[in-house]
Amino acid sequence: MKQEISNLILTPTEMAAADASSAQSGIPSLDLMERAGRAVAASALRHFPGARRFAVLCGPGNNGGDGYVTARALSEAGAKVVVHYLWDVNALKGDAKRALELCPLPPQRLELYEPARGDVVVDALFGAGLAREVPETIVNLIGRVEQAGVPVLAVDLPSGVCGRRGTVLGAAFRASHTVTFMTRKPGHLLLPGRSLCGDIEVFDIGIPHRIIHSVAGQTRENTPNLWRNLIPTPGEETHKYRRGHLAVFSGPAGKTGAARLSATAGLHAGAGLVTVAAPPDAMADNSAHLTAVMLHEINDMGALRDWLESAKLSAFVLGPGFGVGKKARDFVLALDGRPLVLDADGITSFRDHRALLFDAYAGGATQLVLTPHEGEFGRLFPELAEDAELGKVEKAVAAAKLANAAIVYKGADTVIATPDGRAFINGNAPPWLATAGSGDVLAGMIGALLAQGVPAFEAAAAGVYLHGEAARRAGPGMTAEDLAKAAGAKLAPLG
């Protein structure tokens, strides 16, 4: 029985290791190239049945070898095909050289390709392994292809996209379809790479799944089978306290809406009780809008400490609309390492005092979830944000280790990371999730899962995914209020 690999994401280095291990196990590497090239050809014929000509652009490595196989398979199917090569075709080695020898079509220099009406470009230049900026020749070619409006089918990854980071290395093709092999790569899910891939097909070329598992690191695509067993399902004996008590800290009068969004989302996402803890001047604002969510006045540190000692509180959300400054830092430190989602103003409050936060949550099980967008990430982790050699996954993992926290590095390509090195890339967020208040809703959803006893990393990963599903249910044109009400829509089927 094959081991499941659908969630695995291999870096280009890991994929190369899988190819090597497969060859060592006795599977001819040329056979893998043959299957890859024929899969690309089949995709090209399926998606572009009206193509007048396929222009297969082949690079100097194994991605180019896949291209030569593709060209041969397309020709055998009766399609009109031209082949163009980059650099010195006589320098090809190994399987790529053999694929060229088996291809009956005479290759021409890349500079001679002129995009024509009815063409389809098969981009087999660099694939996922590119690590430096594309040469000027390719930059010019990409421009000509784009200007001509010629569709592109990419082999493995559009050339110019970094397979590890998803960044554009000078310039990149914008593909309408991409065919990759065995698993997705980070560049398929991270922006801007994801936006350049078009529809992605993952084709199994026959590398044993045990080998894929053996080389895979700790990066996965965020889907429910990674955490669904940890989402509690209410039983007949369940009562509200067993489902956890979530506390959300409110900002002052006039800045209370964000906390209420978090609290409402937390209630819909399964917390048994939710309380908004508000300063005296915000009590009236909050009272006028809250029903099932409770309200508790917290005036100062003394009142907070008394409440922590007397109330059954399971988890906390601090940051949405709270205000930046010493009060936020003092409240966080008073929580004494309890389960906490720190968002927005809460994160920014530690910009120049991050050692206080890191020390408060150092050691032991991870209890802290940090949910920064790009700007907030840069404020708390400037040395990581400024390192251009690191990808988003690597930055998130490094930040998680520094803070002993689950990191939710937000964006259309949100990455969730944990100090032990695991990282999930989320891909289900619809574009309309980019609306004011959606981050407040996410904080409340994660807080609700923490309150129910879900470990911090899995609570963060589940919260991010369910946030995307709630947005899909709410539909285009939704507001954050709509999103908060939809926050529990997918919980029952996943339980």
Side-chain angles (χ1 to χ4, degrees):
M1 181 177 177
K2 287 186 176 181
Q3 292 178 282
E4 181 59 52
I5 63 170
S6 60
N7 287 113
L8 298 186
I9 299 173
L10 296 189
T11 66
T13 299
E14 291 163 354
M15 191 66 222
D19 288 337
S21 293
S22 182
Q24 291 170 5
S25 74
I27 299 174
S29 55
L30 187 60
D31 287 358
L32 300 180
M33 184 174 286
E34 185 76 17
R35 293 170 195 162
R38 290 191 173 276
V40 174
S43 180
L45 293 169
R46 184 169 62 254
H47 291 299
F48 303 101
R52 296 181 182 178
R53 182 177 70 165
F54 291 99
V56 184
L57 313 182
C58 298
N62 282 343
N63 197 249
D66 295 339
Y68 292 117
V69 175
T70 299
R72 171 163 51 92
L74 287 171
S75 179
E76 289 171 353
K80 183 177 180 181
V81 186
V82 292
V83 179
H84 291 266
Y85 64 86
L86 177 65
W87 297 329
D88 183 5
V89 72
N90 296 315
L92 285 177
K93 298 178 181 178
D95 294 333
K97 180 180 180 180
R98 182 58 179 153
L100 169 64
E101 293 169 346
L102 292 171
C103 182
L105 303 169
Q108 307 171 63
R109 296 199 319 274
L110 192 66
E111 294 84 352
L112 298 178
Y113 173 59
E114 289 295 336
R117 184 180 179 85
D119 275 3
V120 172
V121 164
V122 177
D123 165 26
L125 289 170
F126 296 119
L130 186 67
R132 62 184 184 277
E133 290 205 351
V134 297
E136 192 66 24
T137 302
I138 304 302
V139 175
N140 293 334
L141 174 63
I142 290 170
R144 297 203 313 274
V145 169
E146 186 171 322
Q147 186 175 20
V150 171
V152 175
L153 187 152
V155 181
D156 203 19
L157 197 69
S159 290
V161 174
C162 175
R164 176 173 60 88
R165 296 172 294 169
T167 54
V168 172
L169 298 170
F173 282 110
R174 180 178 295 275
S176 58
H177 299 274
T178 296
V179 181
T180 192
F181 312 111
M182 301 310 298
T183 75
R184 287 175 171 83
K185 315 307 180 292
H188 293 123
L189 294 170
L190 297 173
L191 291 172
R194 188 175 79 193
S195 66
L196 298 172
C197 289
D199 295 329
I200 300 171
E201 300 175 48
V202 181
F203 188 80
D204 189 331
I205 57 174
I207 296 177
H209 289 196
R210 60 178 174 78
I211 289 178
I212 298 297
H213 277 278
S214 72
V215 302
Q218 298 193 79
T219 302
R220 304 287 185 270
E221 185 174 0
N222 186 29
T223 55
N225 67 334
L226 296 170
W227 38 258
R228 63 156 38 98
N229 292 337
L230 294 172
I231 305 297
T233 303
E236 293 182 359
E237 77 291 349
T238 300
H239 55 75
K240 61 187 178 183
Y241 283 105
R242 283 193 178 180
R243 298 183 70 185
H245 187 175
L246 175 65
V248 180
F249 291 97
S250 170
K255 298 182 179 179
T256 59
R260 288 197 301 274
L261 283 172
S262 291
T264 301
L267 196 63
H268 282 284
L273 303 92
V274 181
T275 297
V276 169
D281 67 346
M283 292 295 286
D285 282 359
N286 282 311
S287 180
H289 293 90
L290 297 176
T291 49
V293 173
M294 298 181 291
L295 185 60
H296 186 86
E297 181 176 319
I298 296 292
N299 188 35
D300 52 29
M301 288 294 295
L304 175 58
R305 292 192 181 98
D306 289 343
W307 191 42
L308 294 175
E309 290 179 4
S310 61
K312 295 180 179 179
L313 300 169
S314 309
F316 303 84
V317 173
L318 190 149
F322 189 82
V324 176
K326 186 176 185 299
K327 181 180 178 182
R329 294 193 296 273
D330 289 344
F331 272 38
V332 168
L333 298 179
L335 297 180
D336 194 27
R338 292 175 171 89
L340 169 65
V341 180
L342 192 63
D343 184 42
D345 291 347
I347 293 173
T348 302
S349 293
F350 284 94
R351 177 176 188 168
D352 299 317
H353 306 273
R354 69 178 194 174
L356 293 175
L357 176 64
F358 296 173
D359 289 346
Y361 280 87
T366 301
Q367 299 280 26
L368 176 63
V369 179
L370 296 172
T371 57
H373 56 55
E374 188 170 358
E376 291 160 351
F377 188 92
R379 291 170 204 146
L380 201 59
F381 305 101
E383 73 279 28
L384 299 176
E386 294 167 6
D387 191 337
E389 292 303 310
L390 296 179
K392 191 169 185 178
V393 170
E394 295 153 328
K395 290 178 182 180
V397 170
K401 292 177 179 178
L402 275 173
N404 191 36
I407 299 291
V408 178
Y409 194 170
K410 293 189 294 193
D413 55 351
T414 294
V415 174
I416 310 99
T418 189
D420 66 15
R422 287 176 293 160
F424 296 168
I425 305 174
N426 198 71
N428 75 328
W432 55 88
L433 194 53
T435 188
S438 65
D440 306 322
V441 172
L442 174 60
M445 293 177 71
I446 297 172
L449 294 167
L450 282 178
Q452 295 172 79
V454 180
F457 176 60
E458 286 78 9
V464 169
Y465 183 89
L466 294 170
H467 189 239
E469 291 301 296
R472 291 183 180 279
R473 183 178 180 86
M478 70 167 203
T479 65
E481 289 87 348
D482 301 327
L483 183 63
K485 292 174 183 176
K490 283 285 184 176
L491 286 172
L494 292 172

